[in-house]
Amino acid sequence: MSKSTKRVFKRGLMVAALAFAGHALAADYTISVVAGGSGPNDTYRTDAIEIAADVLMKQAVAKGEHLKITVKKRSYSDWDSFKQAVTLSAESGNAPNIVVTGHEDIAPWSQSGIIVPIEDYLETSAPSIKGIYPNLMKVASYNGKLYGVPQDAEARTMFMWRSSLRAIGYSDKQIDALPGKIKSGEYTLYDMLADAKKAQDKGLVAPGYGFYPRPSAGPDYWQYYVSFGGQMQNPKTGKLVFDKQAIRKTYQFFADAVKMGVTRKNMIGTPWDQWYHEVAAGKAVFWQGGTWHYVRYTGKEGLKDFFGNVDYSMIPAGDKTGKANTLTHPLVYLITKQGSDKQKAIEARLIEIASEPRINALHALKSAHLGISPAETNVEAYRADRWSTEATERLMPYAYAMPNDSDLGNLWNIYWKGLEAAWTGSKSPEEAAADAEKEVRASSFASKVEVR
């Protein structure tokens, strides 16, 4: 279907969905929206669709038309239950209409027929869509088609406790300059471990709390692979990349952190509530987190004067082969195959409205996520929020995302298993890396991975 044909098709769907001849042909729609990985600060992931429905209904009234949209909302705090619910409901032919999920679900869910390309129903030239950061729109695409619309953006960052750095000899001016030194590669991951050790040796934090990464598996750990020169996907071939040297160096880094005593061998599995409380109370020198953590630290954990106590940066480079980096993991609005084309056109229109800067900014501000478009930084409330503006400027221009590939999860499982083995000492970094390579080469998806 050509672009001009698509435009005619989409306009026709909207006309059919919104044009009526009296109340006998009144349009009533019930649209369900389900979001995963959402806590009490993420309510606008579903609320924004309800706001959009109210706007669209009021627009219909202004034109003398009757349109009723009932939005049914549900959020899951965990990802496993959410994804199981979506896949099982799709198998039974009763999937939710709109799902808000991580962009990595686009590849497998499009292949299994759960979702449809949103570009077939969305007016991509609409200002709220056209203005979204191009790198985020790329993340929402797969096999040359736009499947979703970014719902939010964020960045994974390295936090540091300022008073601990001050106590090992840094001046406030030097602390302020540290993010820039990290960005340039002058300050590396091993420099960070050395500073963490100094702080522990002075008794500023307990043993194993110098460097305190996230306590569970997660995409953040790909960043260390990039820090040591790893590439996740070959842009020319589209194949996933398994870089043997970057893998080995990453495994070695975590083994070294444990050997130096600045990271606990058994910290994976630490309860998240405990972890949040500890880092927000200054019990760690360096810790790995996300931009959305800000609202937890300054809210539930009661951290006062965040900017006086904490600084943050990209994840440092591991050595000269790598680079400082930050990963973004946008959630996206996806449309399932559930319902008629007319209803899908309405769903796409709701997503378009929900993506307008003033509406999307409500989510960014409440949840400490980052805006999806440059226009959002001009929204008064967003512009007035120090965290939103500074984190956007410092991190978003350098953010990359995991590739949309249905085999990335399989590669991740191998990578993480080896990392955990090296971290806990059950294998040496060399053994863990060699075993991971063997497993990749013997896997069913080996032909789709470039081993370097």
Side-chain angles (χ1 to χ4, degrees):
M1 187 183 293
S2 67
K3 289 185 177 179
S4 59
T5 304
K6 281 185 177 180
R7 283 197 293 270
V8 172
F9 174 67
K10 285 183 279 191
R11 281 198 296 269
L13 285 175
M14 287 304 300
V15 169
L18 298 175
F20 315 100
H23 288 288
L25 295 178
D28 289 4
Y29 295 98
T30 297
I31 294 174
S32 56
V33 55
V34 178
S38 298
N41 296 315
D42 304 308
T43 57
Y44 281 107
R45 285 181 175 151
T46 55
D47 288 352
I49 297 297
E50 193 169 49
I51 293 170
D54 186 60
V55 170
L56 196 56
M57 287 189 290
K58 283 181 168 60
Q59 288 177 350
V61 170
K63 293 187 290 185
E65 300 165 347
H66 173 81
L67 174 65
K68 181 180 179 183
I69 302 174
T70 301
V71 177
K72 293 185 175 180
K73 306 176 296 182
R74 182 168 182 180
S75 295
Y76 290 80
S77 60
D78 69 298
W79 286 108
D80 290 341
S81 298
F82 160 75
K83 293 186 181 186
Q84 183 180 46
V86 170
T87 53
L88 289 178
S89 62
E91 289 173 3
S92 64
N94 193 34
N97 302 108
I98 299 172
V99 292
V100 188
T101 189
H103 69 91
E104 70 277 7
D105 289 325
I106 291 176
W109 286 1
S110 63
Q111 291 177 0
S112 60
I114 294 176
I115 59 174
V116 296
I118 199 170
E119 66 177 30
D120 291 344
Y121 306 94
L122 182 73
E123 197 59 61
T124 53
S125 62
S128 63
I129 303 300
K130 190 176 181 180
I132 295 174
Y133 289 112
N135 60 336
L136 295 184
M137 291 298 280
K138 182 179 179 180
V139 169
S141 302
Y142 178 63
N143 275 350
K145 293 184 178 181
L146 182 67
Y147 271 88
V149 171
Q151 188 273 326
D152 65 15
E154 37 93 325
R156 313 292 168 118
T157 183
M158 187 69 76
F159 292 102
M160 56 200 82
W161 196 255
R162 292 180 68 95
S163 63
S164 292
L165 294 176
R166 201 177 296 121
I168 62 172
Y170 282 86
S171 66
D172 283 330
K173 186 176 181 180
Q174 288 173 322
I175 296 171
D176 292 341
L178 201 51
K181 288 187 174 182
I182 289 172
K183 176 184 172 183
S184 68
E186 183 179 348
Y187 186 95
T188 69
L189 285 171
Y190 278 97
D191 292 322
M192 179 193 72
L193 293 187
D195 281 341
K197 184 69 163 58
K198 290 177 186 177
Q200 282 190 191
D201 289 346
K202 278 183 169 287
L204 300 173
V205 297
Y209 282 79
F211 170 49
Y212 207 40
R214 62 174 286 154
S216 67
D220 312 54
Y221 285 103
W222 280 120
Q223 293 176 111
Y224 299 93
Y225 170 73
V226 174
S227 289
F228 285 104
Q231 187 179 25
M232 298 187 70
Q233 186 178 41
N234 186 327
K236 294 181 180 179
T237 65
K239 285 188 174 184
L240 296 174
V241 175
F242 182 93
D243 187 315
K244 295 183 289 185
Q245 290 303 314
I247 292 284
R248 183 191 59 75
K249 289 178 181 180
T250 302
Y251 291 178
Q252 186 68 58
F253 168 74
F254 281 93
D256 288 343
V258 171
K259 185 178 180 180
M260 292 173 66
V262 298
T263 301
R264 300 203 325 265
K265 178 186 290 190
N266 62 346
M267 75 154 291
I268 293 297
T270 300
W272 272 101
D273 284 345
Q274 174 188 330
W275 185 91
Y276 274 121
H277 177 73
E278 289 172 336
V279 299
K283 293 184 178 182
V285 185
F286 297 93
W287 69 98
Q288 165 200 339
T291 50
W292 69 96
H293 285 193
Y294 173 83
V295 74
R296 172 76 183 247
Y297 301 155
T298 59
K300 184 176 180 179
E301 302 305 332
L303 174 58
K304 306 299 181 185
D305 189 17
F306 174 87
F307 294 98
N309 286 299
V310 177
D311 211 332
Y312 62 99
S313 72
M314 291 189 279
I315 304 298
D319 58 24
K320 291 182 179 180
T321 67
K323 62 182 180 179
N325 66 97
T326 179
L327 180 77
T328 187
H329 179 241
L331 266 63
V332 291
Y333 288 117
L334 303 176
I335 291 178
T336 69
K337 67 178 181 180
Q338 197 75 26
S340 66
D341 281 339
K342 290 181 181 180
Q343 177 154 326
K344 291 186 182 70
I346 292 290
E347 293 161 15
R349 183 76 174 100
L350 294 180
I351 292 170
E352 175 195 324
I353 295 171
S355 302
E356 291 177 1
R358 289 188 182 276
I359 297 178
N360 191 263
L362 295 173
H363 169 69
L365 292 169
K366 183 177 181 181
S367 66
H369 280 78
L370 305 180
I372 60 173
S373 68
E376 203 161 323
T377 63
N378 294 322
V379 174
E380 184 178 358
Y382 192 98
R383 190 172 63 247
D385 184 77
R386 181 179 175 182
W387 175 250
S388 297
T389 53
E390 286 190 9
T392 298
E393 180 180 347
R394 188 178 296 185
L395 301 169
M396 277 307 293
Y398 313 101
Y400 63 94
M402 297 179 293
N404 286 337
D405 190 294
S406 57
D407 288 306
L408 181 64
N410 296 322
L411 183 62
W412 161 259
N413 289 335
I414 295 173
Y415 169 75
W416 174 251
K417 184 168 64 174
L419 176 56
E420 200 168 20
W423 186 331
T424 59
S426 63
K427 294 180 182 178
S428 71
E430 293 79 8
E431 290 171 335
D435 288 348
E437 180 187 350
K438 289 177 184 177
E439 193 168 350
V440 168
R441 291 187 183 279
S443 70
S444 60
F445 59 95
S447 62
K448 301 177 183 178
V449 180
E450 181 180 315
V451 178
R452 295 180 179 175

